[in-house]
Amino acid sequence: MIRFGVLGAGRIGKVHAATIAANPKAKLAYVADAYPAAAEQLAAQTGAKVASVEEIIASGDVDAVLIATPTPSHADLIEAASKAGKHILCEKPVSLSVDRINQCLHVVEKNKSTLMIGFNRRFDPNFSTVESRLRRGDVGDIEIVTIISRDPAPPPAEYVKSSGGLFRDMMIHDFDMARFLMGEEFVVVNALGSALVDKAIGVEGDVDTAAVQMQTASGRIAVITNSRRATYGYDQRIEVHGSTGMLSARNIQNSSVELWNASGLAGDPVQNFFIERYAQAYANEINTFIDAVDTGNTAPRPSGFDGLQAQKLADAATLSWQTGKPVQVA
Amino acid sequence: MIRFGVLGAGRIGKVHAATIAANPKAKLAYVADAYPAAAEQLAAQTGAKVASVEEIIASGDVDAVLIATPTPSHADLIEAASKAGKHILCEKPVSLSVDRINQCLHVVEKNKSTLMIGFNRRFDPNFSTVESRLRRGDVGDIEIVTIISRDPAPPPAEYVKSSGGLFRDMMIHDFDMARFLMGEEFVVVNALGSALVDKAIGVEGDVDTAAVQMQTASGRIAVITNSRRATYGYDQRIEVHGSTGMLSARNIQNSSVELWNASGLAGDPVQNFFIERYAQAYANEINTFIDAVDTGNTAPRPSGFDGLQAQKLADAATLSWQTGKPVQVA
Amino acid sequence: MIRFGVLGAGRIGKVHAATIAANPKAKLAYVADAYPAAAEQLAAQTGAKVASVEEIIASGDVDAVLIATPTPSHADLIEAASKAGKHILCEKPVSLSVDRINQCLHVVEKNKSTLMIGFNRRFDPNFSTVESRLRRGDVGDIEIVTIISRDPAPPPAEYVKSSGGLFRDMMIHDFDMARFLMGEEFVVVNALGSALVDKAIGVEGDVDTAAVQMQTASGRIAVITNSRRATYGYDQRIEVHGSTGMLSARNIQNSSVELWNASGLAGDPVQNFFIERYAQAYANEINTFIDAVDTGNTAPRPSGFDGLQAQKLADAATLSWQTGKPVQVA
Amino acid sequence: MIRFGVLGAGRIGKVHAATIAANPKAKLAYVADAYPAAAEQLAAQTGAKVASVEEIIASGDVDAVLIATPTPSHADLIEAASKAGKHILCEKPVSLSVDRINQCLHVVEKNKSTLMIGFNRRFDPNFSTVESRLRRGDVGDIEIVTIISRDPAPPPAEYVKSSGGLFRDMMIHDFDMARFLMGEEFVVVNALGSALVDKAIGVEGDVDTAAVQMQTASGRIAVITNSRRATYGYDQRIEVHGSTGMLSARNIQNSSVELWNASGLAGDPVQNFFIERYAQAYANEINTFIDAVDTGNTAPRPSGFDGLQAQKLADAATLSWQTGKPVQVA
């Protein structure tokens, strides 16, 4: 029985806590949150105890921590948990600074800690099926990866100030997905961006509409487009073109109902946002981590290195957008 | 070069005349119509000459006749053309009377004439693909044939008076399709019908909404539903369920364009009516007949027997609807 | 807090028990099963206690019973629970005998008990959306209801002996769905059936392939086809055609992944069977019952009357198939 | 009656000649080809006369010329025809040299000739519907244009030598489509390319797999990906995302037939190549030109300027790919 401490009882912390509580191999032992009421509510629902972050990390009754606190605390908490000998599952990103991630990963490596990063989309049943079929060769040699990712509505301009910008905050999921699907590192990144959805986002020095194209050393190409707004829901599509075929995963509509009348065909919008669209993915992610810990697999993916590489691509894209030039990635 | 006389220069006569004119193995020699202006217009467009029906049938310059006149004249014209040694392609139905069809087929048989009946839907590229894949075993043993067929708008109630009724006028296409797909004769027919679209159709003693279920001697089942009105276009779908799978053919939309917005997905209506939906089918039908004549195949399908069998099913369905009882088909 | 006793800890009992346990308005108090081990396992997972059926019905600690025992016990248990003042949710069917259902409903009526019947498909999010859109007029006047329902694989021939036959065991769901969608009672039923999938089913006097067409007093038509086997999964489709449009609900595939290659398009099979396909429907069903009890709604649908009417249609279809004649329904 | 001379009786010349011959406002008067046999065959099929290019341009019996000769002759023939007072429809591109195009357009402007360029895809019924709906505001303000374009199979490496390279030979269609859909000029072009399909293409200094992203002065973004090979057919998709919605046009499959079995869903490949996929587009293109000439519209689109701008984008993309840097477009 793996005893969990959940650090952060916000929206995603609650989703993960429910999965932990339902997994027979795990026990949700402790919950922490900067807002005691949030921690207490979650504890009451799940039978866990409330404790401070420090108490949880220090506790001998805890085997694993799930870090779902605000981004600036992630690296510190990973290091503390690593030193305390805990298994760690941390929400993305480790840090907005590549240097800080590197420091943090050294600590993790030194302590031989199990660290998994919460790139949830890898665990979507559709996307993970695409990836496993790519690996078994269903499209031959991969040539072009296309990712379209659009949020249903933009965040407040206020939010983007501290977000690190669209490339680090939103497109980072797509950088990880591009690496996941391609199976080869990218060496050059080209970015374009504009504030077309909300001018206030542009005033804050960020973009809400962006395109990135990347190339690997062997010449394979990935293309990502992002928008902070899609009126028809949370647009999440992938497509991989290869030498013998093309694999894709469509959007998921709210229902299978269709109306045909004099206007033609009318179908439902796509599922609105991540809690709904990736409900199964979040559960699979946690259960994958639990299985890894349970079976002694100390290198579950996505790893700290995956977190680092996605951050490097996000940095490169940000620089490319700012300078108007392609950026080489080491 | 097969020299054609087209009897009837109405809507469908014109469509067929264009196909004949474009086929390098055929020559559109003569056109006849009860309205001289119609015949002259079509002749002018195609380079054919105008002549009377009698002149065309008697002419030594004509190898084949296409009968596209009103239904009541079909059987007489088939017999006359057969006696004159012409190859014959006749629009459906041969006659609304099974007895009359039998007489007519005896004449055709006696003269060893080539007679093909214009059940155009057999030549739709989608439906003919389904049929050929059924024959090669793509679904194993056929168990259930489902046909949904809905016209975009009802005819005037005046029209239905002389039409023979929905089962003989509209569903006859589906009876032929059911036989075509099933590959086995039906022995029992059950029909339901109502006048839901236009009460005036009911006043004329006909229905505009109907369902028929039929069974073969070996127990296979076909289900047909018809409506005289579909707001979204000309609904034409088939589906065949068998022991190892299911083959179907969807409707064809006006375009592949899709709009996604806050209301969801919006696509085009389906192609509106038979001239558009079956344009390729009509051309394939004529070219199939030309190929048959050209290669000496004296038994192209659908044959006069196919016309007879469809008419028997239409009669049985009409009787079943009138009596409220199943009808055995000999 | 509504205290539940679950009678029957088989496959569907377990599904329902989990929903009850997760609903904050309900408490899973007791579990009974003829096999003590089954009851004990479910009790251990959910924190409920094991008791006998009689103890649960007699218990003052129980407000509501969920009857998920074998069919022959349903009517007796409904009566006993009704007399004991319990709210009742019973799996379909109440009984294979219409007379027995009538007796049972008199008891329920006399005691003013809340009785809901587990026609799960009404609670499928897709189908319930179709129904609510029909009621608000999205297709105008309903004219034709089409239901296609195919199980992935036939049951053992041994099973069908005691099942009441395909019309009462399998198509009863579709009879309920047809009534649910149509919103008007059917007055005539026509059935065809064959044993095409497994001859042993025919030897037992049952069919595995069937078609039913029904008509309402106002002339509306419903068509149902069933097969005990579909190689591509659990085929569950509905379509309603009306005066201003057509509403339908498609099948649900295992994933949204598509492979395009030289063979064309390849997509996933449809979800395999009811536990998976109707997972959300089962949860919605239980939660609807809990809400009804919680808010004092003593007439949740589907009601005992709905159970009765579906059974009458199943009897009529069975008789129609046996006699080869249409059957009038009172 | 507009009398046409067709210069070039190759594959596309034949397609256009058939459309001209079928248009009642036009007459196919003359055909020229470097291979006399090709000209004679086409003339025999259509009733046209054979003449030399020079004779046709000089002839007083010719109102309009259709230039379907090899690319290097296009600009010279446009100039000659312009000086001779002919209306001109020229296959793309005018020239592989932007300077040469500019010279040519000056001649056309000086003579006030009607010049239309054969970017056939603008006339595809699906794509032209998308464009007209964009112009009427169906998606609000355009933000992201996505074009995916893949040929079924690569040309011989020998061919690419003289083709001008993928960006000028293949992607030029997509540059025109991007301008057509966006309705605003692009100011920056970023290209990536690789020879992944056929190494011999790389040896010739060209690519077979490429991605381009472009931005307009107002910040709108277009993304184009090309491959010289798609195993599932001729992949031609467009999608336009805007402030209030998204419009797209799917691929067209060979048929609407679907097979469902234990492997899941199997559908047809997409239509294989341009002659089939754009059959209607080619006809619409010619008929649009004929209508323009017939109604005195001297500025049909796509114009010579459209040809020039597409060529500039192709040059910019080629340079960007070669230098690894973004290229500004004047």
Side-chain angles (χ1 to χ4, degrees):
Chain A
M1 186 70 79
I2 301 155
R3 296 161 301 176
F4 265 86
V6 168
L7 314 184
R11 185 157 55 166
I12 200 65
K14 284 179 193 165
V15 169
H16 289 328
T19 304
I20 293 168
N23 189 314
K25 294 179 194 157
K27 176 183 163 65
L28 183 62
Y30 294 99
V31 175
D33 198 278
Y35 297 90
E40 278 156 23
Q41 188 194 7
L42 182 54
Q45 284 170 5
T46 56
K49 294 176 194 159
V50 172
S52 72
V53 163
E54 294 74 19
E55 288 167 346
I56 291 173
I57 289 177
S59 167
D61 290 346
V62 168
D63 305 302
V65 295
L66 187 149
I67 303 174
T69 55
T71 295
S73 64
H74 287 182
D76 292 347
L77 291 175
I78 290 173
E79 290 180 351
S82 173
K83 288 170 187 166
K86 308 303 185 200
H87 306 290
I88 308 158
L89 173 47
C90 183
E91 280 298 305
K92 69 90 199 167
V94 173
S95 164
L96 294 176
S97 155
V98 163
D99 285 348
R100 186 70 190 89
I101 299 175
N102 271 319
Q103 288 174 351
C104 185
L105 296 189
H106 286 140
V107 173
V108 168
E109 191 177 8
K110 193 175 155 194
N111 296 313
K112 296 180 180 161
S113 309
T114 300
L115 171 63
M116 187 170 130
I117 306 299
F119 284 118
N120 57 298
R121 296 182 194 174
R122 290 193 181 207
F123 300 94
D124 174 70
N126 305 294
F127 295 170
S128 68
T129 296
V130 168
E131 194 267 348
S132 60
R133 293 180 66 176
L134 291 174
R135 292 296 90 80
R136 84 177 189 209
D138 278 16
V139 304
D141 294 325
I142 295 175
E143 294 167 356
I144 306 173
V145 169
T146 304
I147 300 174
I148 292 174
S149 180
R150 297 168 186 155
D151 285 352
E158 186 66 21
Y159 165 84
V160 306
K161 273 195 213 179
S162 57
S163 71
L166 177 142
F167 299 103
R168 293 190 186 95
D169 176 58
M170 176 178 176
M171 199 181 280
I172 192 159
H173 278 291
D174 305 302
F175 289 124
D176 182 64
M177 183 55 60
R179 290 183 65 251
F180 180 57
L181 297 172
M182 187 64 90
E184 184 187 358
E185 299 293 343
F186 296 98
V187 296
V188 63
V189 176
N190 253 326
L192 292 176
S194 305
L196 300 175
V197 174
D198 182 356
K199 285 181 182 171
I201 288 176
V203 170
E204 297 296 343
D206 197 6
V207 297
D208 51 35
T209 304
V212 162
Q213 57 192 17
M214 309 190 289
Q215 202 166 21
T216 68
S218 70
R220 295 180 171 92
I221 292 171
V223 174
I224 301 168
T225 49
N226 272 191
S227 171
R228 285 287 197 182
R229 180 251 298 111
T231 55
Y232 48 93
Y234 185 40
D235 192 348
Q236 299 282 293
R237 286 173 285 162
I238 63 172
E239 174 180 312
V240 182
H241 184 248
S243 56
T244 64
M246 188 254 284
L247 268 167
S248 64
R250 291 188 306 268
N251 276 319
I252 312 293
Q253 289 175 275
N254 285 330
S255 84
S256 72
V257 177
E258 292 183 348
L259 174 65
W260 289 86
N261 61 22
S263 301
L265 164 67
D268 266 11
V270 301
Q271 291 187 340
N272 193 259
F273 214 10
F274 59 94
I275 294 289
E276 183 181 14
R277 173 66 180 80
Y278 289 120
Q280 189 61 52
Y282 285 122
N284 291 352
E285 174 192 318
I286 297 298
N287 292 329
T288 297
F289 178 73
I290 292 171
D291 280 351
V293 173
D294 184 56
T295 61
N297 169 15
T298 58
R301 298 282 297 264
S303 65
F305 178 74
D306 292 319
L308 176 70
Q309 292 302 95
Q311 201 65 32
K312 282 183 181 170
L313 294 175
D315 280 3
T318 305
L319 184 63
S320 174
W321 161 62
Q322 287 167 340
T323 61
K325 292 181 184 167
V327 172
Q328 309 297 320
V329 182
Chain B
M1 186 71 78
I2 302 156
R3 296 161 301 176
F4 266 85
V6 168
L7 314 185
R11 188 158 52 167
I12 201 64
K14 283 180 194 165
V15 169
H16 289 329
T19 304
I20 293 167
N23 188 314
K25 295 178 193 156
K27 176 183 163 64
L28 182 62
Y30 293 99
V31 175
D33 199 278
Y35 297 90
E40 277 156 24
Q41 190 194 4
L42 181 55
Q45 282 170 7
T46 56
K49 294 175 195 159
V50 173
S52 71
V53 162
E54 294 72 19
E55 288 166 346
I56 291 174
I57 288 176
S59 169
D61 290 347
V62 169
D63 305 302
V65 295
L66 187 149
I67 303 174
T69 53
T71 295
S73 63
H74 287 182
D76 292 346
L77 291 175
I78 289 173
E79 290 180 352
S82 174
K83 288 170 186 165
K86 308 303 183 198
H87 305 290
I88 308 158
L89 174 46
C90 183
E91 280 299 304
K92 68 92 199 165
V94 173
S95 164
L96 294 177
S97 152
V98 164
D99 286 347
R100 186 70 189 88
I101 299 176
N102 272 320
Q103 290 175 350
C104 185
L105 296 188
H106 287 140
V107 173
V108 168
E109 191 175 9
K110 192 175 158 196
N111 296 313
K112 297 181 180 162
S113 308
T114 301
L115 170 64
M116 185 171 131
I117 305 299
F119 284 118
N120 57 298
R121 297 183 193 175
R122 291 193 180 208
F123 300 94
D124 174 69
N126 305 294
F127 296 171
S128 67
T129 297
V130 168
E131 193 267 350
S132 60
R133 293 179 66 175
L134 290 174
R135 293 295 91 79
R136 83 177 190 210
D138 277 16
V139 305
D141 294 325
I142 295 175
E143 294 168 356
I144 306 174
V145 169
T146 304
I147 299 175
I148 292 175
S149 180
R150 298 168 186 155
D151 284 352
E158 186 65 20
Y159 165 85
V160 306
K161 274 195 213 179
S162 56
S163 70
L166 177 140
F167 298 103
R168 292 190 186 95
D169 177 58
M170 177 178 175
M171 199 181 280
I172 191 160
H173 278 290
D174 305 302
F175 289 124
D176 183 64
M177 183 56 60
R179 290 183 65 251
F180 181 57
L181 297 173
M182 186 64 91
E184 183 187 358
E185 299 294 342
F186 296 98
V187 296
V188 64
V189 176
N190 252 327
L192 292 177
S194 305
L196 300 175
V197 174
D198 182 356
K199 285 181 183 171
I201 288 176
V203 170
E204 296 296 343
D206 196 7
V207 297
D208 51 36
T209 304
V212 163
Q213 57 192 15
M214 308 190 289
Q215 200 166 23
T216 69
S218 70
R220 296 181 170 92
I221 292 172
V223 174
I224 300 168
T225 50
N226 271 190
S227 171
R228 284 287 196 183
R229 181 249 300 110
T231 56
Y232 48 92
Y234 185 41
D235 192 348
Q236 297 284 292
R237 288 173 283 161
I238 62 171
E239 174 180 313
V240 183
H241 184 248
S243 57
T244 65
M246 187 254 284
L247 267 167
S248 64
R250 289 191 305 269
N251 276 318
I252 312 292
Q253 290 173 275
N254 285 329
S255 83
S256 72
V257 177
E258 293 183 348
L259 174 65
W260 290 87
N261 61 21
S263 301
L265 165 67
D268 266 11
V270 302
Q271 290 187 341
N272 192 257
F273 214 11
F274 59 93
I275 294 289
E276 183 182 13
R277 173 65 179 81
Y278 289 120
Q280 189 61 51
Y282 285 121
N284 292 351
E285 173 191 319
I286 297 298
N287 292 328
T288 296
F289 178 73
I290 291 170
D291 279 352
V293 173
D294 185 56
T295 60
N297 168 16
T298 58
R301 298 282 298 265
S303 64
F305 178 74
D306 291 319
L308 176 69
Q309 292 302 95
Q311 201 65 32
K312 283 184 183 171
L313 294 175
D315 280 2
T318 305
L319 184 63
S320 174
W321 160 63
Q322 288 166 340
T323 61
K325 293 182 184 166
V327 172
Q328 308 297 319
V329 183
Chain C
M1 186 70 79
I2 302 156
R3 296 162 300 177
F4 265 84
V6 168
L7 314 185
R11 187 158 54 166
I12 201 65
K14 284 180 194 166
V15 169
H16 289 328
T19 304
I20 293 167
N23 188 313
K25 295 178 192 157
K27 177 182 161 66
L28 182 62
Y30 294 99
V31 176
D33 199 277
Y35 296 90
E40 276 155 26
Q41 188 194 7
L42 182 54
Q45 282 170 7
T46 56
K49 293 175 196 159
V50 172
S52 71
V53 162
E54 294 73 20
E55 287 166 345
I56 291 175
I57 288 176
S59 167
D61 291 346
V62 168
D63 305 302
V65 295
L66 188 147
I67 303 173
T69 53
T71 294
S73 63
H74 287 184
D76 293 347
L77 291 175
I78 289 174
E79 290 180 351
S82 174
K83 289 170 185 166
K86 308 304 185 200
H87 306 289
I88 308 158
L89 174 47
C90 182
E91 280 298 305
K92 68 92 197 164
V94 173
S95 164
L96 293 178
S97 154
V98 164
D99 286 347
R100 186 69 189 89
I101 298 176
N102 272 320
Q103 290 174 350
C104 184
L105 295 189
H106 286 141
V107 173
V108 168
E109 191 177 7
K110 192 175 158 195
N111 296 313
K112 295 181 182 163
S113 308
T114 301
L115 171 65
M116 186 170 131
I117 305 300
F119 284 119
N120 57 297
R121 297 183 194 174
R122 291 193 182 208
F123 299 94
D124 174 69
N126 305 294
F127 295 170
S128 67
T129 297
V130 168
E131 193 268 349
S132 60
R133 293 180 66 175
L134 290 175
R135 295 293 90 79
R136 83 178 191 211
D138 277 16
V139 305
D141 294 327
I142 295 175
E143 294 168 357
I144 306 172
V145 169
T146 304
I147 300 174
I148 292 174
S149 181
R150 297 167 186 155
D151 285 352
E158 185 67 21
Y159 165 85
V160 307
K161 274 195 210 179
S162 57
S163 70
L166 178 142
F167 299 103
R168 294 190 185 94
D169 177 58
M170 176 178 175
M171 200 182 279
I172 191 159
H173 278 290
D174 305 301
F175 289 124
D176 182 65
M177 183 55 60
R179 289 183 66 250
F180 181 57
L181 296 173
M182 186 64 91
E184 184 186 357
E185 298 294 343
F186 295 98
V187 296
V188 63
V189 176
N190 252 326
L192 293 177
S194 306
L196 301 175
V197 174
D198 182 356
K199 284 181 183 172
I201 289 176
V203 170
E204 296 296 342
D206 196 7
V207 297
D208 52 35
T209 304
V212 162
Q213 56 191 18
M214 308 191 289
Q215 200 165 22
T216 69
S218 70
R220 295 179 170 93
I221 291 171
V223 174
I224 300 168
T225 49
N226 271 192
S227 171
R228 285 285 196 183
R229 181 251 298 110
T231 54
Y232 48 93
Y234 185 41
D235 192 348
Q236 298 283 293
R237 288 173 283 161
I238 62 172
E239 175 180 313
V240 183
H241 184 248
S243 57
T244 65
M246 187 256 283
L247 267 167
S248 64
R250 289 190 306 269
N251 276 319
I252 313 292
Q253 289 173 277
N254 285 329
S255 84
S256 72
V257 176
E258 293 183 346
L259 174 66
W260 290 86
N261 61 22
S263 301
L265 165 66
D268 266 11
V270 302
Q271 292 186 340
N272 193 258
F273 214 9
F274 59 93
I275 294 289
E276 181 181 17
R277 173 65 181 81
Y278 289 119
Q280 189 60 51
Y282 285 121
N284 292 351
E285 173 191 320
I286 298 297
N287 292 328
T288 296
F289 178 73
I290 291 172
D291 280 351
V293 173
D294 185 56
T295 60
N297 168 14
T298 58
R301 298 282 297 266
S303 64
F305 178 74
D306 291 319
L308 176 69
Q309 292 301 97
Q311 202 65 33
K312 283 184 182 171
L313 294 175
D315 280 2
T318 304
L319 185 62
S320 174
W321 160 63
Q322 288 167 339
T323 62
K325 292 182 184 165
V327 172
Q328 309 297 319
V329 183
Chain D
M1 186 68 81
I2 302 156
R3 297 162 300 177
F4 266 84
V6 168
L7 315 184
R11 187 158 52 165
I12 200 65
K14 284 180 194 166
V15 169
H16 290 328
T19 305
I20 293 167
N23 188 313
K25 296 179 193 157
K27 177 184 162 64
L28 182 63
Y30 294 99
V31 175
D33 199 278
Y35 296 89
E40 276 155 25
Q41 188 194 6
L42 182 54
Q45 283 169 4
T46 57
K49 293 174 194 160
V50 173
S52 72
V53 163
E54 294 73 21
E55 288 166 346
I56 291 173
I57 288 176
S59 168
D61 290 345
V62 169
D63 305 302
V65 295
L66 187 148
I67 303 173
T69 54
T71 296
S73 64
H74 286 183
D76 292 347
L77 291 175
I78 289 173
E79 289 181 352
S82 174
K83 287 171 187 165
K86 308 303 184 200
H87 306 291
I88 308 158
L89 173 47
C90 183
E91 281 297 305
K92 68 91 198 166
V94 174
S95 164
L96 295 177
S97 154
V98 164
D99 286 348
R100 187 70 190 88
I101 299 176
N102 271 319
Q103 289 173 352
C104 185
L105 296 188
H106 287 141
V107 172
V108 168
E109 190 177 8
K110 192 175 156 195
N111 295 314
K112 297 180 179 164
S113 308
T114 300
L115 172 63
M116 186 170 132
I117 305 300
F119 284 119
N120 57 298
R121 297 183 194 175
R122 291 193 181 209
F123 300 93
D124 174 70
N126 305 294
F127 296 171
S128 68
T129 297
V130 168
E131 194 267 348
S132 60
R133 293 180 66 175
L134 291 174
R135 293 295 91 78
R136 83 177 191 209
D138 277 16
V139 304
D141 294 325
I142 295 174
E143 294 168 357
I144 306 173
V145 169
T146 304
I147 299 174
I148 291 174
S149 180
R150 297 169 187 154
D151 284 352
E158 186 65 20
Y159 165 85
V160 307
K161 274 195 211 180
S162 57
S163 70
L166 177 143
F167 299 102
R168 292 189 186 96
D169 176 59
M170 177 179 174
M171 200 182 279
I172 192 158
H173 278 291
D174 306 301
F175 289 124
D176 183 65
M177 183 55 60
R179 291 183 64 250
F180 180 57
L181 297 173
M182 186 64 92
E184 184 186 358
E185 298 294 342
F186 296 98
V187 296
V188 63
V189 176
N190 252 326
L192 291 176
S194 305
L196 300 176
V197 174
D198 182 356
K199 284 181 183 171
I201 288 176
V203 170
E204 296 296 342
D206 197 7
V207 297
D208 51 36
T209 304
V212 162
Q213 55 192 18
M214 309 191 288
Q215 201 166 23
T216 70
S218 69
R220 295 180 171 92
I221 291 171
V223 174
I224 301 168
T225 50
N226 272 190
S227 171
R228 285 287 196 183
R229 181 250 299 109
T231 54
Y232 48 93
Y234 185 40
D235 192 348
Q236 299 282 292
R237 287 173 284 160
I238 63 172
E239 174 180 313
V240 183
H241 184 249
S243 56
T244 64
M246 188 255 284
L247 267 166
S248 64
R250 290 190 304 270
N251 276 319
I252 312 293
Q253 289 174 276
N254 285 330
S255 84
S256 72
V257 177
E258 292 183 348
L259 173 66
W260 290 86
N261 61 22
S263 302
L265 164 67
D268 265 12
V270 301
Q271 291 187 341
N272 193 257
F273 213 10
F274 59 94
I275 294 290
E276 182 181 16
R277 172 66 180 80
Y278 290 120
Q280 189 62 50
Y282 284 121
N284 292 350
E285 174 191 318
I286 297 298
N287 292 329
T288 296
F289 177 74
I290 291 171
D291 279 351
V293 172
D294 184 56
T295 61
N297 168 16
T298 59
R301 298 282 297 265
S303 65
F305 179 74
D306 291 319
L308 177 68
Q309 292 301 96
Q311 202 65 32
K312 283 184 181 172
L313 294 175
D315 280 2
T318 305
L319 185 62
S320 174
W321 160 62
Q322 288 166 340
T323 62
K325 292 181 183 166
V327 172
Q328 309 296 319
V329 182

